[in-house]
Amino acid sequence: MMLTINGTDHPIPDDIRRTLLDFMREDLGLVGTKKGCDHGQCGACTVHVDGRRILSCLQLAATVPGAVTTIEGIVTEGDLHPMQAAFLEHDAYQCGYCTPGQIMSAIACVNEGHIRSDREIAEWMSGNLCRCAAYTQIRAAIRACTLQTAEAST
Amino acid sequence: MSRPILHRQGAPAAAESWIAGGTNLVDLMKLGIEQPAGLVDLGPRRATLSGIADADGGLTLGAMTTLAETERDLRIQRDYPAVHLALALAASPQIREMATLGGNLLQRTRCTYFRDGHSPCNKRAPGTGCSAIGGDDAALAILGTSENCMANYPGDLAVALVMLGADMSVEDRDGRRRRIAVQDLYRLPGATPNHETTLAHGDLITAIHLPVPTWTGQTYVKLRDRASYAFASASAAVALEFDGSKVSSARITIGGLATVPWRCAAAEGRLIGRVLDERTAMETGRACLAEATPSPTQDHKVELGARAVAKALVVASHMHFSIKAGHSDGP
């Protein structure tokens, strides 16, 4: 059994209790994904599986249902992902610990189309807590990234 | 604890467990509440156990369909708004992408004494007593409790499914299939709060069957302590049909406040033949809570439950009369 993370195949761990989060951080050195609560309540560990956002702390590495993309996997040829650039531009963080999870969730939020209003963005980003409370700037970054993407595609 | 084994096929042996989305099971394993000797991964069966199909005017939902996939289905959004809202207001977007319908129905209570792993708890350690009774019970049940347990059923989806009278297919460990009503899945705590459902070990929910959607007003109202991503303090699922201006059929189920999804059959009967104004809605809400047994620290929950029902009735009634007048908002 192999597990694909950011395009690379890895053998799954022997201990089936290993979460995807611990497997990536401790066994593979992929420390971009963060561990916050470790109980699915904070969203810091958000990654994508086949393009859908999931919590890697509640996902056993041995039962991942698809290909994983992490914050390390969204950079193309050294360029920041537009959502990363928007977070920088809008100061959408303070301590930065929740930021990789916020960005992975924000990318999914845009792809799902849940960006028609600030209220809708807030609802669909509610699985990601920010204890520095940078919520206003996070929503601004998502709005700006959405506009940029819309302009690029016209 | 020894390292559990993972199986990719077969049914779980004694002390083993199925695993689907894992959002509740993995959490409880970390807390030491669940200590399975082995897991049977349902991943290899995902292709056959997921998806949503038309079925004689209703819908069949594969039990491994995720909450998010179900929520995105246009038939669910159009014909089963109570189910759609119960899903859209559940958990967080990430958990809804992981969690499966079958697993969601079987999620365990969030009673803090059950989850702390050490307090006396008849559900976790039968015969040790209940720490919630006389303890911090503000988040716990006021309906369907016993002298042994007052843990509330935390889910949203089951409240909508019981309201609709949905049933489900269950496969036993030898592959034999049967159908049972979702309402009959849940057991009151009574003297054995550790026995939460009527399923036997190795049973697997394979599909949920939604009936033909005949209701013209249908909704789910969820009240909670914060604006999003919280369990229900109180919730209500309702479906209504009308004959002219009067109610001809009513179904009401309460969530968050009871040990099981709580059907309010007596209160439903009181609505038949009546015009549903706000006063009637509030009277019906109060009737739904008539059997509640709140402790002194739970008094507010009776009013909360009554208002959740009243709000749901008013919303469902408006839905009926606006569709009738051709003002449907549509999805």
Side-chain angles (χ1 to χ4, degrees), chain B residues 181-324:
Chain B
V182 176
Q183 179 164 7
D184 295 335
L185 173 64
Y186 300 101
R187 292 168 60 135
L188 290 166
T192 53
N194 51 318
H195 294 304
E196 294 175 346
T197 74
T198 53
L199 298 185
H201 187 72
D203 278 354
L204 179 69
I205 302 171
T206 56
I208 294 161
H209 308 280
L210 300 185
V212 178
T214 54
W215 307 276
T216 47
Q218 186 195 120
T219 197
Y220 181 72
V221 165
K222 181 175 181 179
L223 307 178
R224 42 193 170 172
D225 283 352
R226 59 183 184 187
S228 184
Y229 194 15
F231 288 99
S233 305
S235 72
V238 308
L240 300 171
E241 289 176 80
F242 291 84
D243 183 1
S245 61
K246 292 174 180 164
V247 176
S248 59
S249 159
R251 298 183 72 99
I252 306 172
T253 303
I254 288 177
L257 295 170
T259 53
V260 296
W262 193 261
R263 179 87 189 277
C264 307
E268 290 169 358
R270 292 165 50 110
L271 266 177
I272 307 302
R274 295 180 67 180
V275 173
L276 182 51
D277 55 18
E278 290 193 13
R279 189 176 151 189
T280 309
M282 201 59 219
E283 276 173 20
T284 307
R286 295 225 159 84
C288 288
L289 275 294
E291 297 166 48
T293 53
S295 76
T297 48
Q298 291 180 311
D299 268 347
H300 64 288
K301 297 169 75 89
V302 177
E303 185 70 11
L304 206 59
R307 289 184 185 223
V309 171
K311 183 174 176 185
L313 287 171
V314 169
V315 169
S317 173
H318 283 169
M319 188 185 290
H320 165 80
F321 287 105
S322 63
I323 288 171
K324 205 159 164 278

Side-chain angles (χ1 to χ4, degrees), chain B residues 79-110:
Chain B
D79 297 332
Y80 302 94
V83 174
H84 177 248
L85 285 168
L87 293 167
L89 298 172
S92 69
Q94 293 98 313
I95 289 177
R96 298 201 296 272
E97 294 283 5
M98 304 173 76
T100 63
L101 299 175
N104 180 266
L105 296 183
L106 296 175
Q107 69 176 307
R108 312 292 300 277
T109 185
R110 264 62 181 185

Side-chain angles (χ1 to χ4, degrees), chain B residues 59-60 166-170 177-181 207-210:
Chain B
L59 288 178
T60 295
D167 64 359
M168 54 189 207
S169 294
V170 175
R177 293 207 166 189
R178 65 186 192 273
R179 268 172 88 140
I180 65 170
I208 294 161
H209 308 280
L210 300 185

Side-chain angles (χ1 to χ4, degrees), chain B residues 31-230:
Chain B
L31 294 170
I33 310 295
E34 294 274 10
Q35 301 190 7
L39 297 174
V40 180
D41 180 20
L42 285 164
R45 294 178 67 175
R46 188 175 286 268
T48 51
L49 290 178
S50 64
I52 299 178
D54 295 314
D56 301 327
L59 288 178
T60 295
L61 319 175
M64 283 195 76
T65 315
T66 65
L67 304 195
E69 287 164 350
T70 310
E71 176 189 348
R72 285 191 283 267
D73 189 278
L74 295 179
R75 293 162 293 184
I76 293 286
Q77 295 181 14
R78 184 191 62 209
D79 297 332
Y80 302 94
V83 174
H84 177 248
L85 285 168
L87 293 167
L89 298 172
S92 69
Q94 293 98 313
I95 289 177
R96 298 201 296 272
E97 294 283 5
M98 304 173 76
T100 63
L101 299 175
N104 180 266
L105 296 183
L106 296 175
Q107 69 176 307
R108 312 292 300 277
T109 185
R110 264 62 181 185
C111 174
T112 53
Y113 299 107
F114 170 75
R115 286 173 59 87
D116 73 15
H118 58 81
S119 297
C121 170
N122 289 322
K123 189 183 280 296
R124 172 168 38 72
T128 56
C130 175
S131 304
I133 296 172
D136 183 3
D137 61 4
L140 300 175
I142 57 172
L143 287 163
T145 60
S146 74
E147 59 184 11
N148 300 297
C149 184
M150 61 185 303
N152 58 335
Y153 175 76
D156 297 297
L157 174 65
V159 178
L161 295 181
V162 168
M163 183 278 288
L164 292 175
D167 64 359
M168 54 189 207
S169 294
V170 175
E171 185 183 289
D172 73 12
R173 55 179 308 108
D174 298 318
R176 287 184 296 253
R177 293 207 166 189
R178 65 186 192 273
R179 268 172 88 140
I180 65 170
V182 176
Q183 179 164 7
D184 295 335
L185 173 64
Y186 300 101
R187 292 168 60 135
L188 290 166
T192 53
N194 51 318
H195 294 304
E196 294 175 346
T197 74
T198 53
L199 298 185
H201 187 72
D203 278 354
L204 179 69
I205 302 171
T206 56
I208 294 161
H209 308 280
L210 300 185
V212 178
T214 54
W215 307 276
T216 47
Q218 186 195 120
T219 197
Y220 181 72
V221 165
K222 181 175 181 179
L223 307 178
R224 42 193 170 172
D225 283 352
R226 59 183 184 187
S228 184
Y229 194 15

